[in-house]
Amino acid sequence: MTLWCGDEKLVLASQSRARRMLLENAGLACEAVPADIDERAIQAEAGLVAPYEIALHLAVAKAQAVSAIKPNSYVVGADQTLALGERMFNKPAGRQQAMHQLLALAGRTHALHSAIAVVNNGEVLFSHVAVAWMTMRTLTESDVAAYLDAAGQAVLSSVGAYQLEGLGVHLFDRIDGDHFTILGLPLLPLLAYFREARLLRF
């Protein structure tokens, strides 16, 4: 049974299995409709440099793109940025890039900014950005190669070339932040908004 009580089905503007799992485990059945947008072009056009601003801008853009084809639905858009100081990281294009990224992050603390936006008929009703601080173990090149061998292609779907809910957990010494934020969907503030909007059964 779903706890969602909106007139239209809840829509997630993402193909992320982790985000959909978080919603469904919380009792919110949803339809996943990935946003067909060029994230890097939208980011460049906006001219934003702060990681949290970029994450929020892209979360809104995704939700609005899907809202245009899902009228009357409540659409949740989400985006996540990874910053090591002033250096921003994107999803690696291949194994070699994943290797370089992980070696750059090894032994250091980086920030994950996770943004969400709720849009209905193009209007932004709610938005939020949360941050988690991730301290990675000191890793050798052979350590990273062994991890990449074990994790396979899954690393290419994550902005940091790791998935904390899987083998990526072995890369870390310390984590300061909300588990949901790390998985890319700050769930508690989202549920609080839905309750306030009377879209949940309790």
Side-chain angles (χ1 to χ4, degrees):
M1 177 182 127
T2 181
L3 299 181
W4 179 256
C5 57
D7 292 335
E8 298 285 338
K9 193 169 187 178
L10 179 64
V11 176
L12 175 63
S14 173
Q15 60 185 355
S16 165
R17 287 180 292 178
R19 290 182 179 125
R20 184 169 187 173
M21 177 194 68
L22 290 177
L23 288 175
E24 292 180 343
N25 286 352
L28 276 66
C30 65
E31 178 184 0
V33 181
D36 185 16
I37 63 171
D38 184 337
E39 295 183 35
R40 300 288 75 82
I42 290 173
Q43 178 181 334
E45 185 179 338
L48 301 174
V49 293
Y52 75 91
E53 290 180 328
I54 293 169
L56 181 58
H57 187 72
L58 290 174
V60 169
K62 292 174 183 179
Q64 288 181 325
V66 173
S67 180
I69 60 174
K70 289 289 181 180
N72 302 320
S73 293
Y74 284 85
V75 180
V76 177
D79 193 75
Q80 190 174 62
T81 59
L82 187 158
L84 179 65
E86 296 184 357
R87 181 180 174 186
M88 294 274 296
F89 287 73
N90 296 314
K91 292 177 183 177
R95 180 189 170 97
Q96 197 61 32
Q97 190 175 356
M99 169 75 79
H100 290 318
Q101 288 190 9
L102 290 169
L103 289 174
L105 297 173
R108 306 175 74 181
T109 299
H110 63 267
L112 284 180
H113 289 85
S114 291
I116 48 173
V118 179
V119 170
N120 180 264
N121 289 323
E123 180 185 357
V124 180
L125 303 177
F126 171 77
S127 63
H128 180 82
V129 183
V131 63
W133 298 95
M134 316 287 290
T135 302
M136 199 171 277
R137 293 168 43 213
T138 299
L139 299 165
T140 65
E141 190 167 332
S142 61
D143 291 333
V144 175
Y147 161 70
L148 292 174
D149 287 342
Q153 293 295 307
V155 301
L156 305 183
S157 65
S158 169
V159 69
Y162 60 81
Q163 292 168 315
L164 196 77
E165 67 275 24
L167 296 178
V169 71
H170 293 280
L171 302 175
F172 291 90
D173 271 336
R174 178 182 173 127
I175 293 167
D176 296 292
D178 186 287
H179 179 68
F180 303 119
T181 297
I182 295 165
L183 295 186
L185 191 78
L187 190 58
L188 297 181
L190 180 62
L191 295 179
Y193 165 72
F194 284 152
R195 282 192 296 271
E196 182 182 331
R198 301 184 183 279
L199 292 168
L200 298 181
R201 299 190 188 278
F202 66 87

